[in-house]
């Protein structure tokens, strides 16, 4: 006869397993349902030890049914469980609801103008006009409407590719793009492209390899956060912009979908909305002394986050270290990340090689109880 029981703690599960009737022909299945994200489990209490290190094997109980051995779901019982003194507030649904009420139903061009507004267009026009005059091309003049047409053609060429730029004005049947030819003449397009500038050549930072793009980048970052940091879960990672020309900042990353191009450090929502980005200029870029590259990137991108208690930040093992997690906690950020073995501070945990020999689900952990605040990431729980 089948029987269903809802067990809430590991102690109750162990007691149930001990009382299972081995002679019963029906298999016993145990399903562990993970808790809600914002709920505490029964394993989240901690003893008052300054530093506790614990390494335990998962308890596996087997019962024999005929000639078949059945493995129960692995269960781990902790002697020292962390207590969280603070939690993030999740107001993402409310933020999204307000954004939808404000911007729902507007056409794509108006969405585009939220980011490329008059301020951005005027910046491009001013720097382009100034550069043209410096090159004695005093007949150059561009209006906002012409710049929008130019940008529209550039966007079109991103998904409708032809062998050469001039092909978009060709009258050949296999290359003809009537939309482009009717929008702007080829000579006008060439003239705008020749004079297009995004910075003042007489006011460039020699230490910044992206100085000719920096004013444009800074303005775009302001536009990206004009709605606030509305997502609850934030992600920090790299993004590649394809580029095959010559430039000292061009990167080559083996094994990536885009191997050649410019690397951007990005702060995004979990569904991909970009809040902030920062181009990487290579190892020669001036950096903060004594701070690892990954930590510096995280701090720079999180400068735009005004309320750390409203967000959870996630990143991979390129960024994660014990010192970074401790510094983020000091600033009020809740962070989670995978970690490399050489970045866990003075905590001695089982190596990946040893854990790989244990049964599935085995893990090792450590936590520190100096400040009654905890952070969790791959393989360990640390109190910060």
């Amino acid at each position: 006869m089948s029987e269903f029981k809802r067990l809430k703690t590991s102690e109750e599960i162990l007691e149930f397993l001990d009382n299972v009737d081995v002679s019963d022909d029906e298999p016993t299945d145990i399903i562990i349902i993970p808790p809600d994200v914002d709920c505490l489990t029964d394993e989240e209490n901690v003893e008052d030890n300054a530093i506790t290190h614990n390494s335990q094997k998962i308890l596996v109980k087997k019962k024999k049914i005929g000639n078949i051995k059945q493995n129960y779901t692995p269960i781990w019982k902790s002697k020292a469980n962390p207590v969280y003194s603070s939690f993030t507030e999740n107001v993402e649904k409310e933020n999204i609801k307000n954004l939808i009420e404000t911007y729902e139903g507007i056409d794509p061009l108006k969405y585009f103008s939220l980011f490329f507004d008059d301020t951005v267009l005027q910046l491009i026009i001013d720097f382009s006009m100034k550069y043209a005059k410096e090159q004695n091309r005093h007949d150059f003049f561009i209006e906002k409407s012409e710049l929008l047409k130019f940008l529209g053609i550039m966007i079109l060429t991103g998904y409708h590719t032809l062998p050469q730029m001039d092909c978009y004005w060709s009258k050949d049947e296999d290359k003809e793009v009537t939309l482009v030819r009717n929008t702007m003449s080829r000579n006008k397009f060439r003239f705008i492209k020749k004079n297009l500038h995004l910075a003042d050549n007489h006011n460039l930072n020699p230490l910044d390899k992206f100085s000719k793009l920096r004013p444009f980048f800074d303005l775009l970052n302001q536009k990206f956060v004009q709605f606030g940091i509305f997502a609850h879960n934030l992600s920090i990672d790299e993004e590649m912009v394809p580029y095959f020309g010559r430039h000292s900042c061009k990167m080559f990353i083996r094994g990536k979908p885009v191997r050649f191009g410019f690397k951007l450090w990005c702060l995004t929502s979990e569904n991909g909305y970009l809040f902030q980005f920062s181009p990487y200029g290579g190892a020669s870029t001036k950096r903060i002394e004594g701070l690892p590259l990954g930590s510096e990137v995280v701090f720079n991108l999180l400068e735009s986050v005004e309320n750390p208690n409203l967000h959870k930040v996630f990143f991979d093992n390129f960024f994660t270290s014990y010192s970074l997690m401790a510094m983020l906690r000091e600033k009020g950020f809740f962070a989670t990340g995978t970690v490399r073995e050489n970045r866990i501070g003075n905590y001695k945990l089982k190596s990946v090689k040893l854990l790989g020999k244990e049964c599935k689900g085995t893990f090792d952990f450590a936590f520190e109880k100096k400040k009654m605040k905890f952070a969790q990431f791959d393989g360990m729980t640390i109190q910060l």
Side-chain angles (χ1 to χ4, degrees), residues 260-276:
F260 295 93
F262 297 107
K263 181 191 290 188
L264 303 180
W265 305 115
C266 299
L267 173 68
T268 70
S269 66
E270 61 180 330
N271 57 5
Y273 179 87
L274 179 64
F275 291 108
Q276 290 285 281

Side-chain angles (χ1 to χ4, degrees), residues 338-354:
T338 54
V339 67
R340 300 176 184 177
E341 287 187 272
N342 60 347
R343 294 185 181 178
I344 58 176
N346 296 323
Y347 297 92
K348 295 181 179 179
L349 300 175
K350 278 189 176 181
S351 66
V352 175
K353 186 176 181 180
L354 290 176

Side-chain angles (χ1 to χ4, degrees), residues 64-82:
K64 189 173 182 181
I65 304 175
N67 295 324
I68 302 175
K69 286 186 178 180
Q70 179 183 5
N71 292 341
Y72 291 112
T73 305
I75 303 168
W76 175 80
K77 182 179 179 182
S78 173
K79 294 181 179 178
N81 307 311

Side-chain angles (χ1 to χ4, degrees), residues 153-191:
I153 294 174
M154 293 301 297
I155 293 173
L156 175 66
T157 61
Y159 62 86
H160 183 80
T161 57
L162 291 175
Q164 296 178 351
M165 200 67 198
D166 288 353
C167 292
Y168 291 93
W169 285 266
S170 173
K171 294 185 179 181
D172 297 339
E173 292 183 0
D174 61 333
K175 294 179 289 186
E176 183 178 15
V177 184
T178 307
L179 177 64
V180 173
R181 192 170 66 247
N182 293 338
T183 299
M184 179 179 290
S185 68
R186 182 181 60 183
N187 290 340
K188 181 65 175 180
F189 180 86
R190 286 177 174 177
F191 204 30

Side-chain angles (χ1 to χ4, degrees), residues 141-257:
F141 182 79
I142 181 173
E143 296 179 345
K144 290 181 181 178
S145 59
E146 293 176 322
L147 180 57
L148 285 172
K149 292 177 181 179
F150 174 86
L151 294 174
I153 294 174
M154 293 301 297
I155 293 173
L156 175 66
T157 61
Y159 62 86
H160 183 80
T161 57
L162 291 175
Q164 296 178 351
M165 200 67 198
D166 288 353
C167 292
Y168 291 93
W169 285 266
S170 173
K171 294 185 179 181
D172 297 339
E173 292 183 0
D174 61 333
K175 294 179 289 186
E176 183 178 15
V177 184
T178 307
L179 177 64
V180 173
R181 192 170 66 247
N182 293 338
T183 299
M184 179 179 290
S185 68
R186 182 181 60 183
N187 290 340
K188 181 65 175 180
F189 180 86
R190 286 177 174 177
F191 204 30
I192 294 175
K193 188 177 181 181
K194 185 176 183 179
N195 293 285
L196 192 70
H197 255 61
L198 302 174
D200 183 0
N201 283 352
H202 296 287
N203 190 26
L204 300 178
N205 181 1
L207 301 178
D208 185 2
K209 291 186 176 183
F210 291 98
S211 58
K212 287 196 172 186
L213 297 170
R214 188 62 61 183
F216 181 66
F217 286 167
D218 292 342
L219 191 54
L220 282 185
N221 277 327
Q222 294 177 23
K223 301 302 176 184
F224 292 147
V225 294
Q226 63 181 299
F227 314 111
I229 311 294
F230 52 81
H232 179 62
N233 294 321
L234 302 176
S235 172
I236 294 178
D237 207 346
E238 63 186 27
E239 178 182 344
M240 291 292 290
V241 178
Y243 179 71
F244 298 95
R246 293 179 176 272
H247 196 280
S248 59
C249 295
K250 186 179 73 172
M251 302 288 165
F252 169 72
I253 303 181
R254 191 183 305 275
K256 293 287 186 178

Side-chain angles (χ1 to χ4, degrees), residues 118-134:
D118 290 344
T119 307
V120 177
L121 297 177
Q122 195 60 50
L123 176 141
I124 299 174
I125 291 173
D126 291 343
F127 285 135
S128 299
M129 294 279 289
K130 184 174 183 178
Y131 174 76
K133 290 180 180 179
E134 292 171 354

Side-chain angles (χ1 to χ4, degrees), residues 1-2 48 59 156 183 244 280 303 321 360 378 381 384:
M1 180 176 179
S2 60
D48 295 331
L59 302 177
L156 175 66
T183 299
F244 298 95
Y280 179 51
E303 285 182 356
S321 65
K360 185 177 180 180
D378 185 42
T381 303
L384 303 178

